[in-house]
Amino acid sequence: MKLYLDPGHGGSDPGARGNSLNEKDINLDIALRIRSILINEYENVQVRMSRTSDINKSLNQRTTEANSWGADFYLSIHCNAFNGSAQGYEDYIHSSLSDTSTTAKYQDIIHTEVMILNQLKDRGKKKADFHVLRETTMPAFLSENGFIDNTHDANLMKQSSWRQNVARGHVNGVAKAFNLKKKPVETGTIYKVIAGSFKTKENANERVAFLRSKGIESFAFSTTISGETWYRVQAGAFSKRENAEERLEEVKRAGISDAFIVSENPDSPNNEVSGYTILGETFLSAEQMNLFVQSVNPNAIELGRYYATIGPQYGIRGDVAFAQAMLETDYLRFTGTVQPDQNNFAGIGATGPDNPGARFSTPEKGVLAHIQHLYAYASTKPLPEKSPLVDPRFNLVSRGSATTWKALNGKWAVPGNGYGQALLNVYERLLMNTKQNIDTVIQKVNKD
């Protein structure tokens, strides 16, 4: 399926304006999110956008490009404006089309799916003689996602979670209309190489430092065995046992004789991961996380090490937190309100263009703030000893109010319907990507 995705206006044409917002910015943000969801979650989908940045492009250029490419569907994203009092959502197909046409059927489906998630008044399905609807040779659809000059609608537009929900609604509609097939998600047993167990954290950290000096990435985490706290050192997690055994031999050749393999199954009903709790073990390594994001965004900075080390220090699933960061930042492409120099990978405090949220001096501190914010939701315990508080909103969280990722719905993202499910979808993609690229991981470690 070939989708031509058209965020309206751009460049010197801001579109409608109101409440310190420009329509062109909202349109682009929603469209980029639509593209990201479709490409990452669905099979056999090609997306071409009229623009991916703030540039000028004429209506004729847009429709000519879509027609020449042979798109199957033209989706145009807009916001509305009138007199400040009008509000709500409406969408359009061309006025010449009958209510029984294929395009009208697509409109019925997409309209329904968008209205489920957008929290806007339903202004109905309409028809018009707009250029992009008239001059396209394929079915074409234009949505008006609220009134930018209306206070109620504009306050929603300023929320990244709302824009994500609007994007998700459009995707759900397109997927149903064109019978798109979801990419398969494969999970199964993960084999973890444990390179030592210690009663003190200091001894575990010494082992980590030793392994890193030998070119073997590892991290320490705490676990409870027979009621006692132990500190284990993990030197890799693999989907195939033979790859874990190869790493085990590498660890032993480095002089670690007490290394062994443990197996974990995220799908097992006896495993915490099946409940998707925020507190728990980190399964994947820094390299596996970095390779995943770089498969989507080759220019992404490497954050895996921070999530693989800081997460376990707080008992937080670092690899799932990493997946959340990928959702929040669009795989570190920062296509929303938060910008790269903020190092705010969790979108902490961001509510819209006028309030882009917190700023942290380094990527490491940004990840630390993210983990601490999750810790505030998932635990009622104090921060670990000697842990500096860098999350500016830690004390604003109702402690222990969300112990699972899905429980973040309506808390981390407001309204956030489906937010937890969305970040878990990214995590499942991360697991699948790890299985596909495990040989690359091994080669990279050996090279380093």
Side-chain angles (χ1 to χ4, degrees), residues 294-350:
Q294 288 166 1
S295 71
V296 179
N297 174 16
N299 298 319
I301 62 173
E302 296 191 346
L303 294 177
R305 178 174 180 177
Y306 301 130
Y307 282 97
T309 55
I310 298 173
Q313 291 172 14
Y314 285 77
I316 299 291
R317 299 189 191 282
D319 47 4
V320 187
F322 178 84
Q324 183 183 22
M326 297 306 100
L327 175 66
E328 288 283 342
T329 64
D330 189 19
Y331 295 86
L332 300 178
R333 290 179 292 212
F334 296 95
T335 55
T337 298
V338 178
Q339 296 304 302
D341 62 352
Q342 292 178 241
N343 292 313
N344 186 359
F345 310 111
I348 295 173

Side-chain angles (χ1 to χ4, degrees), residues 135-303:
E135 301 300 325
T136 43
T137 57
M138 72 293 300
F141 173 94
L142 184 148
S143 63
E144 294 278 7
N145 296 278
F147 283 73
I148 203 167
D149 58 349
N150 176 267
T151 301
H152 171 270
D153 290 6
N155 285 339
L156 289 174
M157 292 178 193
K158 292 177 181 180
Q159 300 176 16
S160 62
S161 58
W162 180 85
R163 299 193 298 274
Q164 182 72 15
N165 280 338
V166 170
R168 174 67 64 177
H170 281 77
V171 169
N172 290 347
V174 170
K176 284 190 176 182
F178 287 88
N179 296 313
L180 300 183
K181 184 179 179 182
K182 279 246 182 182
K183 289 182 178 180
V185 175
E186 302 174 9
T187 57
T189 300
I190 296 175
Y191 300 94
K192 297 161 50 175
V193 178
I194 304 301
S197 297
F198 304 89
K199 286 295 293 179
T200 67
K201 186 176 182 179
E202 291 73 19
N203 289 339
N205 288 337
E206 287 180 8
R207 176 63 56 85
V208 168
F210 173 77
L211 287 170
R212 287 180 178 168
S213 72
K214 300 295 184 180
I216 302 173
E217 186 66 31
S218 62
F219 62 89
F221 66 93
S222 62
T223 187
T224 302
I225 303 174
S226 300
E228 292 187 87
T229 299
W230 288 80
Y231 296 91
R232 281 182 166 177
V233 175
Q234 182 175 314
F238 306 89
S239 61
K240 295 181 180 179
R241 187 174 182 89
E242 54 265 34
N243 293 329
E245 290 173 348
E246 183 175 337
R247 174 59 62 81
L248 179 63
E249 289 304 313
E250 182 184 356
V251 170
K252 289 184 174 180
R253 287 195 299 270
I256 307 301
S257 59
D258 57 343
F260 58 93
I261 294 174
V262 296
S263 61
E264 304 276 4
N265 191 330
D267 292 329
S268 169
N270 296 320
N271 193 311
E272 278 190 352
V273 178
S274 65
Y276 292 109
T277 55
I278 294 174
L279 296 175
E281 293 184 27
T282 299
F283 283 96
L284 303 180
S285 70
E287 291 91 346
Q288 290 164 335
M289 296 183 217
N290 291 334
L291 279 172
F292 170 63
V293 63
Q294 288 166 1
S295 71
V296 179
N297 174 16
N299 298 319
I301 62 173
E302 296 191 346
L303 294 177

Side-chain angles (χ1 to χ4, degrees), residues 36 49 57 66 92 101 105 118 134 154 185 219 227 229 233 269 273 278-279 301 332 350 419 425-426 435-436:
S36 177
M49 295 182 63
K57 203 164 198 177
Y92 293 84
S101 65
K105 292 177 181 177
N118 69 3
R134 181 183 66 249
V185 175
F219 62 89
T229 299
V233 175
V273 178
I278 294 174
L279 296 175
I301 62 173
L332 300 178
Y419 176 79
N425 284 339
V426 177
K435 293 181 178 185
Q436 295 171 342

